[in-house]
Amino acid sequence: RKEVEQDPGPFNVPEGATVAFNCTYSNSASQSFFWYRQDCRKEPKLLMSVYSSGNEDGRFTAQLNRASQYISLLIRDSKLSDSATYLCVVNPPNTGNQFYFGTGTSLTVIP
Amino acid sequence: EAGVAQSPRYKIIEKRQSVAFWCNPISGHATLYWYQQILGQGPKLLIQFQNNGVVDDSQLPKDRFSAERLKGVDSTLKIQPAKLEDSAVYLCASSLAPSGGGGGYTFGSGTRLTVV
């Protein structure tokens, strides 16, 4: 079983829409979770960490559900500039600072 | 703060040839990682260094891939001989902390390798 699984999409949404991505992880003892954003032909960049109590950064909200072992990313009021691939990242225990990346979910925001 | 530097940006080689990639992490970052990202997939860790020591190389195909970080700063990743399936983007990343989560990684812009 993969450490991290994501729906690859693609998600095509109109500007202003709300869109949500989920990601499941296999190691229930995992403690650190992140969402990265990757633009076409660019390197991944940290979008936000995911905290146990959930956290928000502007239009972006990240949630963690430990019971079901998934994390989510909600984007409100989508902008054209949100078009990218969103990578779910998990740092399982006892792996140093090794991150396991999902395959990414592709988002295209349409005018 | 200068980012993670990688070179070359692009490389095209024939199968069975050799190739080397270079990475210079953010100053002061003790931990350095090499990831392989095949088109349509997420990055996969190849090797993790803490200073000049290897922390994890369990997913490095050691029959053809090698990496070193001799002085604990910059690093090279080599493939010899290359196969068609090695075509990918090779990403270098660095972080301050060797363990735990926290602030995440900073990636370099990657080297896009095409093996023909």
Side-chain angles (χ1 to χ4, degrees):
Chain A
R1 184 181 172 186
K2 291 183 180 179
E3 291 281 349
V4 183
E5 300 213 46
Q6 282 184 262
D7 178 353
F11 284 68
N12 300 313
V13 303
E15 258 186 303
T18 295
V19 61
F21 312 133
N22 283 342
C23 163
T24 58
Y25 61 94
S26 60
N27 191 324
S28 60
S30 297
Q31 294 293 325
S32 301
F33 309 90
F34 307 89
W35 284 101
Y36 273 69
R37 171 191 169 130
Q38 187 170 26
D39 292 290
C40 187
R41 303 179 78 84
K42 298 285 189 181
E43 72 274 20
K45 292 185 178 178
L46 179 65
L47 178 66
M48 58 197 301
S49 301
V50 185
Y51 302 124
S52 296
S53 55
N55 48 299
E56 191 174 302
D57 182 2
R59 298 180 294 107
F60 297 82
T61 301
Q63 298 255 327
L64 168 63
N65 184 317
R66 287 197 180 276
S68 301
Q69 292 179 219
Y70 76 84
I71 66 172
S72 63
L73 178 68
L74 181 78
I75 306 175
R76 290 181 299 279
D77 188 24
S78 299
K79 311 289 185 192
L80 297 177
S81 57
D82 294 335
S83 297
T85 296
Y86 291 84
L87 296 159
C88 168
V89 184
V90 176
N91 174 215
N94 305 316
T95 60
N97 203 22
Q98 181 179 148
F99 287 2
Y100 286 88
F101 286 79
T103 54
T105 299
S106 173
L107 171 67
T108 301
V109 181
I110 303 163
Chain B
E1 175 182 77
V4 177
Q6 286 190 249
S7 67
R9 286 298 307 274
Y10 305 94
K11 192 75 178 177
I12 301 174
I13 62 171
E14 294 183 350
K15 59 184 178 183
R16 292 188 289 275
Q17 284 188 322
S18 302
V19 64
F21 313 128
W22 176 82
C23 171
N24 194 20
I26 292 173
S27 178
H29 280 196
T31 313
L32 183 148
Y33 316 80
W34 283 102
Y35 276 81
Q36 179 194 58
Q37 186 173 23
I38 292 171
L39 187 65
Q41 298 182 19
K44 183 187 85 171
L45 180 71
L46 293 175
I47 188 166
Q48 176 183 346
F49 290 96
Q50 175 65 18
N51 296 310
N52 61 351
V54 175
V55 174
D56 186 341
D57 63 357
S58 57
Q59 298 186 85
L60 187 73
K62 298 182 188 63
D63 58 333
R64 298 183 301 106
F65 286 64
S66 64
E68 59 184 17
R69 193 185 184 199
L70 293 176
K71 296 182 180 178
V73 180
D74 57 345
S75 174
T76 56
L77 175 69
K78 297 179 182 177
I79 308 175
Q80 179 180 11
K83 293 186 175 181
L84 296 177
E85 59 261 36
D86 298 332
S87 295
V89 177
Y90 291 84
L91 293 160
C92 179
S94 69
S95 68
L96 271 173
S99 62
Y105 296 168
T106 300
F107 282 93
S109 53
T111 296
R112 185 174 299 274
L113 173 68
T114 303
V115 182
V116 298

